[in-house]
Amino acid sequence: MAKTKILFITHEMSPFLEISKISEITRRLPHAMQEKGFEIRILMPRFGSINERRNRLHEVIRLSGMNIVVDNNDNPLIIKVASLPAARMQVYFLDNEEYFQRKKIFRDEKGEFFEDNNERSLFFCKGALETVKKLGWSPDVVHCHGWFSAMVPAYLKTVYKDDPTFKDSKVFYSLYNEDFTEKDTLSDKYALMAAQEDGHAEAAQAYGTGSYVDLYKGALSFTDVVVQADEDLHPEILDYVKKNSIRTFEPSSDEDYEAFAELYDEFVTEEVSA
């Protein structure tokens, strides 16, 4: 039987960037699945606070050189990679000087949400999928973590739905309590820019105002399995999941790896990889 292939897309991962519990889950869960024989790929942004020398990042020339269009602007995408020797895992980093080479992650020195976080997120989401295409690797499951990956489900179910790389991929989305306040927003421009560049008008309606709740509603409307990865989740988001009968997985703990493995294995393709 073919191995289940899992793509993890996240904005943070220990030890490279540790903002919230997402960093630990995206470090331990892929490792646990790899130990069980699954094929794993992990993608995250190369934010400016990530030390390249200490973490031994180096550019992957064969993957770099693409341009990702956001708001009618061509943005060069540089791909770097680092290995976690103890886990025998490689992590791919998406880099861009304008979007990611800042000392701060999502907020400026005054604690204000970056005005271009919508562009940065879209660049990452589209860049991640284009990178996987260039890798020539077709995931059975694409598991998204964090609001920064919110447009990935919509892209997969619209723009990339007939692409051979992703045509059989299922989308998992983990729900967390994140540092995204009521006044923070990606604005309605977030979805409008995505639709403008790629023509999937459904996204513009699904992602609404670009608020925290609307971001998750948009992502979940294109999601196959919701993972409740945190407690005290936003009631409006949970109500949306229930009303739309989206399949929900609630692990007994963050380390409930047997249950995760069984769930992922439901979606293995029948093709035997070479």
Side-chain angles (χ1 to χ4, degrees), residues 68-120:
I68 304 299
V69 179
V70 179
D71 200 23
N72 292 320
N73 293 315
D74 277 343
N75 303 276
L77 174 62
I78 303 299
I79 304 300
K80 299 175 180 178
V81 68
S83 297
L84 291 170
R88 301 192 309 279
M89 288 195 305
Q90 285 191 322
V91 180
Y92 293 92
F93 294 82
L94 279 67
D95 202 358
N96 173 271
E97 184 175 355
E98 181 178 350
Y99 288 143
F100 297 144
Q101 293 307 305
R102 308 170 186 182
K103 293 181 179 178
K104 301 293 183 179
I105 308 301
F106 299 129
R107 301 175 185 278
D108 62 21
E109 287 76 5
K110 297 179 180 179
E112 297 295 323
F113 216 51
F114 283 127
E115 189 174 336
D116 65 348
N117 275 340
N118 46 19
E119 294 181 39
R120 300 169 82 213

Side-chain angles (χ1 to χ4, degrees), residues 22-228:
I22 295 176
S23 68
E24 282 302 318
I25 288 178
T26 54
R27 167 66 179 83
R28 294 175 179 173
L29 180 59
H31 184 206
M33 295 304 101
Q34 183 169 268
E35 290 292 298
K36 292 181 178 296
F38 292 19
E39 286 189 30
I40 304 297
R41 299 288 186 276
I42 306 166
L43 276 72
M44 65 178 288
R46 210 296 267 180
F47 289 115
S49 61
I50 298 174
N51 188 299
E52 288 200 3
R53 181 175 296 179
R54 184 170 62 244
N55 293 295
R56 299 182 178 180
L57 271 67
H58 61 272
E59 185 176 349
V60 185
I61 302 298
R62 70 182 180 89
L63 297 178
S64 295
M66 290 184 283
N67 280 346
I68 304 299
V69 179
V70 179
D71 200 23
N72 292 320
N73 293 315
D74 277 343
N75 303 276
L77 174 62
I78 303 299
I79 304 300
K80 299 175 180 178
V81 68
S83 297
L84 291 170
R88 301 192 309 279
M89 288 195 305
Q90 285 191 322
V91 180
Y92 293 92
F93 294 82
L94 279 67
D95 202 358
N96 173 271
E97 184 175 355
E98 181 178 350
Y99 288 143
F100 297 144
Q101 293 307 305
R102 308 170 186 182
K103 293 181 179 178
K104 301 293 183 179
I105 308 301
F106 299 129
R107 301 175 185 278
D108 62 21
E109 287 76 5
K110 297 179 180 179
E112 297 295 323
F113 216 51
F114 283 127
E115 189 174 336
D116 65 348
N117 275 340
N118 46 19
E119 294 181 39
R120 300 169 82 213
S121 172
L122 290 176
F123 175 85
F124 174 62
C125 292
K126 188 173 181 182
L129 298 180
E130 288 296 323
T131 299
V132 175
K133 281 182 61 178
K134 208 163 184 178
L135 279 170
W137 185 79
S138 299
D140 299 299
V141 173
V142 179
H143 193 162
C144 301
H145 298 260
W147 67 263
F148 205 61
S149 63
M151 193 58 72
V152 169
Y155 278 145
L156 285 170
K157 298 295 185 178
T158 56
V159 180
Y160 294 89
K161 67 179 180 180
D162 296 321
D163 191 292
T165 304
F166 300 108
K167 65 183 181 67
D168 296 318
S169 299
K170 298 297 181 183
V171 181
F172 283 31
Y173 212 103
S174 284
L175 298 180
Y176 298 92
N177 281 314
E178 299 190 70
D179 180 23
F180 200 114
T181 69
E182 291 296 325
K183 70 173 184 175
D184 297 331
T185 178
L186 300 188
S187 83
D188 57 0
K189 190 180 179 184
Y190 177 68
L192 291 173
M193 284 190 296
Q196 169 192 13
E197 302 300 345
D198 297 293
H200 63 298
E202 312 95 300
Q205 181 177 359
Y207 288 81
T209 65
S211 67
Y212 178 70
V213 170
D214 281 358
L215 276 183
Y216 267 121
K217 283 183 177 179
L220 294 172
S221 65
F222 299 98
T223 292
D224 297 296
V225 179
V226 175
V227 179
Q228 292 193 23

